[in-house]
Every structure is written in C-alpha cells, then in structure tokens.
Amino acid sequence: MIQSPICEIFGIKYPIFQGGMAWISDARLASAVSLGGGAGLISAMNAGADYVRGEIRKCRESVGSLIFGVNIMLMSPFADDIAQLVVDEKVPLVTTGAGLPSKYMPAWTAAGIKTAPVVPSVAVAKKAAKLGASAIIAEGGESGGHVGDLTTMALVPQVADAVDIPVLAAGGVADGRGVAAAFMLGARGVQCGTRFLTATECNVHRNYKDKILAAKDIDTIVTGKSLGHPVRSLKNAFSRRFFEMEYDNTLSKEAIEAFGAGSLRKAAVEGDVTDGSVMAGQIAALVKDEAPAAEIISRIFSEAENILRGASEWIK
Ligand code: TUI
C-alpha cells in the first residue's frame, strides 16, 4: 500500500480523486470511485441546486459513510447556491475550479468540509493554502477542459515547495507510471479525469467513449486562448472550426462564444462528437480499455507500487 497523508486526511484507501467533469461526473461515477477506494466527485458544473442536491443524495445513498465530494466550477452562475448547498447537505469534500473559493472557505471550514482547490500556478496555490484548504490539486495544462499554462512536470514540484499542505497532481496521469512520477515530483496523490471517461460506470455518451479509445497522442487541441479561457479537447470539426474562428479578426468575441455555447453537452450527452466539444486530456491515447472504476484504481496503484518499489534498482 502507498502511504500518503492524502489517505489519512480524506480517509481513502488510494490517494486518488476523480476529476469533476461537467456533464459527465454524476452520482454514478462518483460513487463507483468512492466505493473503489478513491474520492469520487460530482460535478456541479453550471447546474442549479435541485440537480446537484439529487446527485448528492444518490451518491450518499450508495457510498454510505465513505467520502465523496462536489466539484464547484466557480464561474457557474449558481456557485453561491451550490456553496450553500454543500453546507446544508453536509457534503464531506469540496473541490473547486476556475477561480479561488475565498468567499466560501470560512463557511466550509466551519461546517467541517474538507477542501481541495484546483490551481494552475504557484501564486494561486499559496492563496488557496492561506485560505485553509486541506490539500491542493496542482493541475497542469495536459488536462482536459479549462487549462492553465504550465505543464504538470513544471507545476507540481513548484507547488509542492510553495505550500505546506499535501499536493495532488492532475493533468497527464492515467496509469501507475503517472502516479509514480507524480510522487517523485512531490505530490502525495493524483486527480484523474480522462482515465475515468471509459469507466463502466461513466454515463458519458458511447460515442464520446469511443472517441477517447481511438485517440492518438497528438489528437488534442487547445482552443479559447485568445478569449481568455483556454480549453483542451479532442480535435474534430468543432474544435478546428473554433480555432479558425478565434484567429479570424472579422468575427466578434461574442460570435465565437456563441458558437461554443452548449458544445460540451452536445458531445457528452447527445453523442455528437463531430460538432460538439470532446474535452479530454493529452493522456487520452493511453486510455485503451473500459473497466469498472474500482478496477481502474486498483490497477493504477498496483502498477505504481511496483514501479516505486523497483526504483531503488536505478541506484548503484
Ligand atoms: O475547471 C477546470 N476545468 C474545467 S471547468 C470546465 S466547464 C467549461 N465548460 C465549457 C467551457 C469552458 C469551461 C471544463 N473544464 N479545471 C480546474 C482549473 N482551475 N483549471 C484552472 C483553474 C483555475 C484558474 C484560475 C483555478 C484558479 C484560478 O484562480 C485565478 C484567480 O486568481 O482567481
């Protein structure tokens, strides 16, 4: 077994969080990850409190006393409502993305909620630690969805040096090698999103899963950089067109934003993987099979343990 403060703080067997993926990370996936020994996260995305409350209750019903959480996308118009909902529902864990949860932290801490903000830089990590976070998720630009500039390789050791709480590495981790590397960089756990897209319990559309299973190393693209919100997704007609539109100076920012609106739902729920946004990380090409979440987790950690145990062989 890997010994990690992340396991102790969050009461989990394996130091792994499942990424909160909009339109994808629901109660079914989150509970499968928690039952598999990690921490499952429900994505609150842009949804209102009624939807999220329903998912929280379903998840709790299936995981019992095991930890699970809600990922709050702070740009959501309902962020205030969800921030209160997690207190009311006594959700044990909250992760945040796309901003700093400064205004919510006092209430979450008072309610005994464990928190792990996702950060793209050292400066944001320091602020999150100062707010009293339980751990930091340092997310490199290899990730799918909304991404920062730095790679996981460069970001994780710098964040680990900058804060005195444990760090989870995210972005580009999908197997035991990624976990072992993350530990070597100073992380004490990982967050995986893309790897769980092909979990048996993941409700994302069949076409989305097939697109992940067929992905090659160079199949992702970052769009939205010129608009100030870069997003990594698989190359397809939608992302290529979005990219062209961004650099067409006859088009307004609003026209481009309008073109992108609803695109993730189109792919994840409707299965339109041509004209929808198939958000995924650079590690998608390493995802070659479908398996129950519990098996994905146990396989990743048995591989990581073997690698870490064998590492001393490199020293003469
Ligand atoms: O949030 C994510 N990834 C996401 S959110 C998302 S929803 C979406 N849907 C459609 C279009 C665009 C987005 C899809 N993927 N990852 C966590 C993350 N957080 N990445 C970067 C950050 C971040 C950025 C700035 C965290 C904090 C931050 O703070 C800046 C500040 O000073 O407040």
Side-chain angles (χ1 to χ4, degrees):
M1 289 301 292
I2 285 184
Q3 296 281 344
S4 164
I6 293 293
C7 296
E8 284 150 32
I9 294 168
F10 298 99
I12 49 184
K13 182 173 173 196
Y14 301 106
I16 183 168
F17 285 17
Q18 159 249 317
M21 299 173 280
W23 291 109
I24 297 171
S25 301
D26 57 9
R28 182 170 177 231
L29 180 60
S31 59
V33 170
S34 290
L35 290 165
L41 275 298
I42 295 160
S43 171
M45 47 176 181
N46 281 330
D50 289 346
Y51 166 81
V52 182
R53 188 183 300 106
E55 294 305 295
I56 291 170
R57 292 186 179 173
K58 275 190 249 172
C59 195
R60 173 164 283 129
E61 169 87 22
S62 91
V63 306
S65 61
L66 294 174
I67 198 164
F68 71 97
V70 171
N71 170 257
I72 307 183
M73 216 269 287
L74 295 166
M75 289 186 316
S76 163
F78 301 106
D80 286 353
D81 296 348
I82 307 301
Q84 183 57 45
L85 176 71
V86 294
V87 172
D88 297 342
E89 292 290 317
K90 300 183 173 45
V91 170
L93 167 65
V94 168
T95 64
T96 59
L100 267 170
S102 316
K103 64 175 172 169
Y104 308 125
M105 285 294 282
W108 292 344
T109 307
I113 295 174
K114 299 206 163 77
T115 53
V118 176
V119 307
S121 69
V122 167
V124 179
K126 281 184 175 167
K127 285 185 198 162
K130 221 170 166 184
L131 291 170
S134 318
I136 298 287
I137 304 171
E139 188 186 87
E142 294 93 322
S143 304
H146 180 63
V147 288
D149 280 332
L150 294 173
T151 59
T152 303
M153 184 83 150
L155 177 66
V156 170
Q158 295 188 65
V159 170
D161 282 351
V163 299
D164 54 13
I165 50 177
V167 174
L168 296 106
V173 181
D175 68 5
R177 292 171 297 184
V179 171
F183 271 71
M184 294 299 95
L185 293 172
R188 291 296 168 257
V190 295
Q191 175 177 273
C192 299
T194 303
R195 175 60 271 210
F196 288 115
L197 286 171
T198 66
T200 317
E201 303 88 348
C202 180
N203 281 330
V204 75
H205 198 282
R206 179 73 251 161
N207 298 349
Y208 204 115
K209 290 192 181 194
D210 288 340
K211 189 99 179 136
I212 298 298
L213 292 167
K216 297 192 302 299
D217 55 350
I218 56 166
D219 283 353
T220 71
I221 184 172
V222 174
T223 55
K225 231 176 174 171
S226 67
L227 306 173
H229 50 81
V231 168
R232 184 180 296 285
S233 64
L234 293 184
K235 290 176 186 166
N236 62 3
F238 167 78
S239 56
R240 287 199 176 93
R241 181 75 193 113
F242 197 101
F243 194 78
E244 281 166 12
M245 287 172 79
E246 272 186 82
Y247 297 98
D248 178 343
N249 52 22
T250 66
L251 296 173
S252 69
K253 203 173 158 171
E254 290 71 32
I256 305 166
E257 302 269 17
F259 177 73
S263 57
L264 177 59
R265 184 186 183 282
K266 205 187 243 188
V269 180
E270 293 166 23
D272 186 345
V273 295
T274 305
D275 295 320
S277 176
V278 185
M279 293 187 191
Q282 287 184 324
I283 208 69
L286 219 65
V287 177
K288 295 191 186 74
D289 66 344
E290 296 176 60
E295 191 184 318
I296 291 173
I297 296 170
S298 64
R299 233 197 273 157
I300 289 176
F301 281 91
S302 106
E303 196 186 348
E305 283 169 30
N306 286 336
I307 293 169
L308 291 168
R309 214 176 267 119
S312 63
E313 285 167 26
W314 294 98
I315 312 296
K316 278 272 171 287

